[in-house]
Amino acid sequence: MFSAPLKRLIRAAAPYWAGEAAVFRTYWIWPKRTRETDRRWLALQCSKEVWGSGLAPLDKGIFLGPAEELIRVFPRIDIDVDRHAVLGIAEGLWAEFLHYCAFADAHDALARPGEAKLNPHAVKGAWKEDLDLSALRFRHKRENPKLGDRAAKFTEGGYCTLFAEGMLLKNRKHPKHGKANRLIAAACAKVYEDEFGHMLKGIAGLDEEGLSDADWRTLEAMSVEQLKSRILMRNAQFGYPLAGKDLEQALAGRRQPLAFDYRKAGAALHA
Ligand SMILES: [Fe+2]
Ligand SMILES: [Fe+2]
């Protein structure tokens, strides 16, 4: 079901997914975690869910981009644009806006009286490391449109580690963060399955594309570079909980790799 080069790509990515997961695992129990730092990372997550971190043009993001695309293709549905392709665009818009709502609701539920509600425009271009990730993805897509786009999709969501780790907070008692843990777990549960699917879009059909060995190497190099950039982006989003040796290890791909769920991925790809 998965070719040897596809498995090699996944093997190359797995230690970096673990590096990203380490940011959250460290943060949840970090002594510097406060209501304010929770509100900050949730707001930054909302920025990603609307503006897309390089998955769509910066000025349009993953709400306005597909919304305009739907208007553009409407006259051509089932003439030269397949109805299912259009449904896919609509689903993407719906899913990402649902993610925005989930994290924005958690953010606003942690507000004190008088604190302003979040909105998409207030969180545009919110932090440097996320803009760096966007710029890297745009560069890869310019250098190699086909493989660059594949790499951006494959690295989307970072194997869902934020959502998987966040869901584990559901029953985690904490004297200060009990309410936040419940809100975060509920938001992450709404996002997890969608983002697993979005990552699979990066690898669906890859084996039928007849990629050369050099293509596979290029895809792997782009993916690893993006995954490293994701670790820096996440670490900044959460206020730099990973530091020193732990951060070095994560960026060098020396953490114990996460186990890729071949059964779940195979079932989804062949559904
Ligand atoms: Fe999302
Ligand atoms: Fe997504």
Side-chain angles (χ1 to χ4, degrees):
M1 228 182 234
F2 292 85
S3 70
L6 181 49
K7 283 184 175 162
R8 195 176 61 203
L9 173 68
I10 290 166
R11 254 200 321 275
Y16 297 96
W17 290 332
E20 192 171 327
V23 173
F24 317 124
R25 286 180 193 169
T26 308
Y27 175 79
W28 303 142
I29 53 168
W30 199 30
K32 290 186 189 166
R33 179 182 171 194
T34 63
R35 185 189 70 97
E36 287 75 19
T37 63
D38 275 347
R39 296 237 310 157
R40 179 175 179 274
W41 80 256
L42 287 163
L44 297 184
Q45 187 60 31
C46 290
S47 171
K48 295 180 69 62
E49 303 293 358
V50 175
W51 300 108
S53 308
L55 301 172
L58 275 183
D59 57 329
K60 300 201 189 300
I62 48 180
F63 183 99
L64 203 52
E68 289 183 357
E69 183 69 3
L70 286 171
I71 291 169
R72 200 177 64 79
V73 299
F74 178 69
R76 294 161 47 204
I77 295 174
D78 285 344
I79 297 166
D80 62 350
V81 182
D82 181 79
R83 71 193 73 149
H84 297 284
V86 179
L87 185 60
I89 301 168
E91 277 171 351
L93 168 56
W94 187 86
E96 297 303 348
F97 193 60
L98 183 143
H99 304 169
Y100 167 79
C101 292
F103 288 109
D105 286 348
H107 172 275
D108 291 347
L110 289 174
R112 293 206 174 120
E115 284 181 331
K117 269 186 157 181
L118 193 135
N119 74 68
H121 314 290
V123 293
K124 187 176 180 186
W127 77 112
K128 179 189 172 295
E129 289 81 351
D130 195 53
L131 292 169
D132 290 345
L133 172 64
S134 305
L136 179 64
R137 283 173 164 162
F138 290 136
R139 175 162 70 76
H140 285 163
K141 286 191 236 189
R142 271 197 312 274
E143 286 170 2
N144 190 325
K146 186 169 94 173
L147 297 179
D149 188 59
R150 286 283 191 178
K153 288 201 172 87
F154 176 58
T155 62
E156 185 183 339
Y159 195 61
C160 303
T161 51
L162 170 58
F163 318 119
E165 296 295 325
M167 282 162 73
L168 294 175
L169 294 177
K170 188 174 175 201
N171 298 314
R172 197 176 294 176
K173 303 236 181 321
H174 192 285
K176 275 200 322 212
H177 305 307
K179 179 183 174 188
N181 283 353
R182 280 194 304 281
L183 288 165
I184 292 164
C188 287
K190 289 184 186 157
V191 174
Y192 176 81
E193 291 297 335
D194 288 342
E195 286 303 338
F196 197 85
H198 294 178
M199 170 201 65
L200 292 180
K201 282 193 179 157
I203 55 176
L206 256 185
D207 281 336
E208 285 80 56
E209 286 204 14
L211 298 187
S212 67
D213 200 50
D215 288 339
W216 280 105
R217 294 286 175 196
T218 301
L219 179 58
E220 180 179 318
M222 285 176 167
S223 300
V224 165
E225 208 183 338
Q226 291 183 23
L227 291 171
K228 283 186 194 181
S229 176
R230 285 190 61 90
I231 294 171
L232 294 171
M233 173 277 290
R234 287 302 197 195
N235 203 35
Q237 181 183 4
F238 283 77
Y240 306 98
L242 271 197
K245 279 232 150 44
D246 288 337
L247 179 59
E248 267 170 46
Q249 254 201 343
L251 289 171
R254 285 205 307 270
R255 294 196 74 95
Q256 169 91 26
L258 283 195
F260 185 81
D261 192 338
Y262 279 99
R263 269 236 318 250
K264 183 179 164 79
L269 284 173
H270 295 92

